[in-house]
């Protein structure tokens, strides 16, 4: 059984939906979204939170426009290199029509005394480099070392991806090569009801060039308004739900970020189809281990004759099939992790439940204290808690409060041992 405790933290300047929340060391970064306080502002809204306090992010350079429905991810620096943040597409909040953007930005990301600072550069086709750049060497001055010269830009037509919004993105290392990082843009919409033909595109950080990603397996695309969470230490991307040509999806798919192989995870019982939902990966003890049953929170049950008044009904238990194969690798230390699926928006079968899915595909309903259904929330697992913020209710009310959901599995009392002793 999973018990929550919810404690609100000081909210950001305004309720927001359609933004991105990213963990960065001790900070949480919130970028973009439709915000009441930034309506009419030309630039991207950006806040950071540390020690339960929100501050503006210091931005310079080619600062992105005021967008919502964008996608963003962080690439940690290697060997002392700078951390980088990438922001893709979205729709301009200051335009009356929802037109998807094809813009793509790289930012040098720093933490200055618990205040995030980003120096943005807008990437264009002019930044493209050859696939295998060979730096020319200038004639050295006597006694000096040869001076490298930057390779010439690529000549001819350079591929640029379709404009897109309501998409997701992740960092990929092809074949596990950390020296060749890529940023994957996954799904999205080019306009309302229209989807990009290049469903997954790859941006090479080294060559500053885009290409269509060559994925194998059964892809869930085309979809927009899907949710993404990273698993197995960032080696696997889980993509859930979304809206496609055939309606709202309830499918959960996994993308191996090294081999770019899609696989579908059969979840039982299947969660209701939903889009604009929040998907969060979380480690044990919240996640259920392979061998353990996936237990739902206590639910109303018919009164059994002879049952003591006020006695809590037993939780509903969904057993993981022993024939199922684990859908994604365990964490490096052998630890377990699971996926939390929040309500979002759906079709006729939509509900307000938060669902926990383990590596075996077993699902259980998590009791989160009657938060109600919200869509457009953003959230992450950080410091042992799930931080969730923003979103909107079905009636249109928007929320700015950040909640910290303390979800845990209580110690199990061992039958036959002395009262009060736990295992």
């Amino acid at each position: 059984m999973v018990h929550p405790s919810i404690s609100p933290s000081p909210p950001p300047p305004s309720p927001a939906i359609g933004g991105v929340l990213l963990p960065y060391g001790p900070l949480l970064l919130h970028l973009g979204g439709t915000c009441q306080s930034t309506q009419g502002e030309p630039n991207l809204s950006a806040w950071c939170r540390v020690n339960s306090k929100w501050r503006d992010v210091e931005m310079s350079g080619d600062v992105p426009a005021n967008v919502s429905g964008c996608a963003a991810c962080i690439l940690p620096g290697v060997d002392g290199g700078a951390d980088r943040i990438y922001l893709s597409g979205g729709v301009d909040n200051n335009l009356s029509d929802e037109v998807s953007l094809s813009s793509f930005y790289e930012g040098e990301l720093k933490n200055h005394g618990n205040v995030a600072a980003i120096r943005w550069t807008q990437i264009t086709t002019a930044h493209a480099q050859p696939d295998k750049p060979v730096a020319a060497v200038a004639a050295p001055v006597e006694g000096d070392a040869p001076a490298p010269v930057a390779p010439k830009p690529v000549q001819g037509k350079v591929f640029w991806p379709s404009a897109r919004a309501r998409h997701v993105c992740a960092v990929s290392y092809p074949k596990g090569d950390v020296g060749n990082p890529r940023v994957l843009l996954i799904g999205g919409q080019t306009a309302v009801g229209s989807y990009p033909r290049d469903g997954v595109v790859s941006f090479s950080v080294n060559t500053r060039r885009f290409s269509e990603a060559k994925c194998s397996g059964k892809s869930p695309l085309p979809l927009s308004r899907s949710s993404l969470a990273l698993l197995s230490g960032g080696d696997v991307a889980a993509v859930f739900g979304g809206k496609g040509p055939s309606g709202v999806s309830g499918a959960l798919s996994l993308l191996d970020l090294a081999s770019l192989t899609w696989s579908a995870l059969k979840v039982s019982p299947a969660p209701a189809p939903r889009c604009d939902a929040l998907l969060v990966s979380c480690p044990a003890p919240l996640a259920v281990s392979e061998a353990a049953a996936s237990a739902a929170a206590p639910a109303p049950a018919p009164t059994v004759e002879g049952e003591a008044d006020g006695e809590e009904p037993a939780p509903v238990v969904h057993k993981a099939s022993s024939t199922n194969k684990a859908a994604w690798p365990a964490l490096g230390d052998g630890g377990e992790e699971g996926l939390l699926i929040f309500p979002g928006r759906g079709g006729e079968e939509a509900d307000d439940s938060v669902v926990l899915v383990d590596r075996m595909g077993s699902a259980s309903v998590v009791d989160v204290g009657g938060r109600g259904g919200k869509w457009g929330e953003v959230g992450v697992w950080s410091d042992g808690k799930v931080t969730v913020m923003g979103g909107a209710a079905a009636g249109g009310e928007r929320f700015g409060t950040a909640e910290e959901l303390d979800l845990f599995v209580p110690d199990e009392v061992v039958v036959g041992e002395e009262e009060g002793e736990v295992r």
Side-chain angles (χ1 to χ4, degrees), residues 359-408:
R359 288 201 304 136
M360 304 301 287
S362 291
S364 56
V365 176
V366 179
D367 180 7
V368 290
R371 296 178 68 245
K374 297 179 184 178
W375 62 273
E377 295 178 288
V378 291
V380 294
W381 176 272
S382 179
D383 295 329
K385 296 179 181 179
V386 178
T387 299
V388 181
M389 65 169 290
E397 179 186 2
R398 296 181 183 180
F399 301 89
T401 303
E403 298 173 321
E404 292 181 342
L405 308 183
D406 187 5
L407 306 171
F408 63 95

Side-chain angles (χ1 to χ4, degrees), residues 103-203:
S103 54
F104 188 74
Y105 294 85
E106 178 186 72
E108 183 176 332
L109 179 60
K110 294 182 179 180
N111 180 354
H112 290 306
N114 287 336
V115 176
I118 305 174
R119 179 171 180 79
W120 293 104
T121 299
Q122 183 170 5
I123 303 297
T124 67
T125 55
H127 293 88
Q129 301 286 339
D131 285 332
K132 295 181 180 179
V134 179
V137 178
V141 179
E142 188 174 349
D144 291 343
V149 176
K152 295 180 179 180
V154 175
Q155 302 297 316
K157 188 176 181 180
V158 177
F159 172 79
W160 192 262
S162 304
R164 65 189 66 207
R166 321 294 180 195
H167 57 304
V168 291
C169 71
V171 173
S172 166
Y173 299 98
K175 300 180 181 179
D177 183 3
V178 295
N180 184 27
R182 307 291 180 103
V183 176
L184 299 181
L185 309 183
I186 304 170
Q189 63 185 43
T190 54
V192 177
S194 299
Y195 306 92
R197 282 184 290 181
D198 46 357
V200 181
V201 294
S202 171
F203 173 76

